[in-house]
Structures are given as structure tokens and as C-alpha cells.
Amino acid sequence: RSEAIIALIYTLGIWFGPWIVSERELSVSIAAAFALYFNAAFANLLVFSLFERHIDAAESPNTLVLALGETATVRLLWGLLVLSAAAGAVLLIRAPIIALVLLAGASTPLLVYIRQDFFAREERYRAVCDGVFVVYGLLPLWVWVSRISTV
């Protein structure tokens, strides 16, 4: 049941350093970006657990998916998507490109799960869901570089 904690640690690891270096105050926009990133990371871990629940049952029985069951986990994914939409709406006003990229990434795990018949083959879900974080990993760098270029 550590998916949320892992997602939080991952999110802080990616965003905290660039935020400190940028010397910006914590604004609603930055909080919305944190929320979107966390939701995407959490949803990503949940989808991995959904795809790998049979393996997890034998090797790691403490996953949230095994505790909640598939139906409740899918409802949680939809809830994360709704929260992401709300955070995205806030961010869209101030940073539309970042908002759209984060929203696309936050919706990817649920879309992958909906089309699980396709994404389960050859573990495509891993490549697609992990690929989101390659793009996400560039966003804090872009924010930091854009801050430097305006000085």
C-alpha cells in the first residue's frame, strides 16, 4: 500500500530541487503542477499494479490494488483524473503548455488501463506510462531554464 508514498517521494524528488533553485514562492500554479505530477505518478503505479496483480499476489501482497480490488482501484483512477482536471483547469490559466502536457500525462494511465487488451501485450503499458515521465522529467528543467533566460 505504498504506491501513494512512492508517488509522493518521486514527485518531491523531481519538483522540489528545481522549485528551490527557481527561488519562486509557492503559488497556486506551482501547487497545481505538483498535484498533477503526483496524480500521474500515483495513477501510473496503480496501473502497473493492476496489470501485475497476479505477480504481486505472490511476491508483494501489500499493494493497494490487492487491498482494494480491481473495481475500487479503477474508481480511484477516475477520481485522480477528476482531481487532475481540476488542477489542470487552475494551471491552464497561467501556464497552458505545462497544463496540457501534465494533463495528457495524468490521463495516460487510465487510458492505458481502458485499452488493457492492447497495452498488456509485450508490456506496452510500461513503455507508454514510463514514457510520460521522460517528458515530465524535462518540465522542471524547462521551468528552471526559462527562469534563467529571463534574468
Side-chain angles (χ1 to χ4, degrees):
R1 302 188 187 125
S2 59
E3 291 95 341
I5 294 168
I6 292 168
L8 180 63
I9 291 168
Y10 180 73
T11 301
L12 288 173
I14 295 293
W15 280 89
F16 192 69
W19 173 60
I20 292 294
V21 171
S22 74
E23 298 178 353
R24 294 182 179 182
E25 293 183 23
L26 183 61
S27 65
V28 173
S29 296
I30 292 173
F34 282 150
L36 279 163
Y37 199 94
F38 169 79
N39 285 353
F42 187 29
N44 195 46
L45 291 170
L46 290 174
V47 165
F48 277 24
S49 290
L50 281 167
F51 276 99
E52 299 168 2
R53 62 187 172 275
H54 303 295
I55 296 168
D56 289 346
E59 295 178 7
S60 180
N62 291 327
T63 68
L64 196 56
V65 171
L66 293 176
L68 295 176
E70 183 176 356
T71 303
T73 302
V74 172
R75 286 184 184 139
L76 178 57
L77 284 170
W78 279 105
L80 289 171
L81 186 61
V82 169
L83 291 173
S84 293
V90 169
L91 189 59
L92 197 57
I93 297 165
R94 298 210 175 216
I97 293 173
I98 292 174
L100 292 174
V101 170
L102 289 173
L103 279 168
S107 62
T108 298
L110 184 59
L111 295 172
V112 165
Y113 178 75
I114 289 170
R115 292 294 319 267
Q116 63 184 292
D117 55 320
F118 174 78
F119 287 103
R121 283 184 255 148
E122 300 174 15
E123 295 187 346
R124 293 176 178 156
Y125 64 93
R126 287 191 166 278
V128 172
C129 289
D130 284 345
V132 166
F133 291 93
V134 171
V135 174
Y136 273 11
L138 299 175
L139 282 176
L141 178 63
W142 180 73
V143 169
W144 182 66
V145 168
S146 67
R147 168 80 169 129
I148 290 173
S149 65
T150 60
V151 173

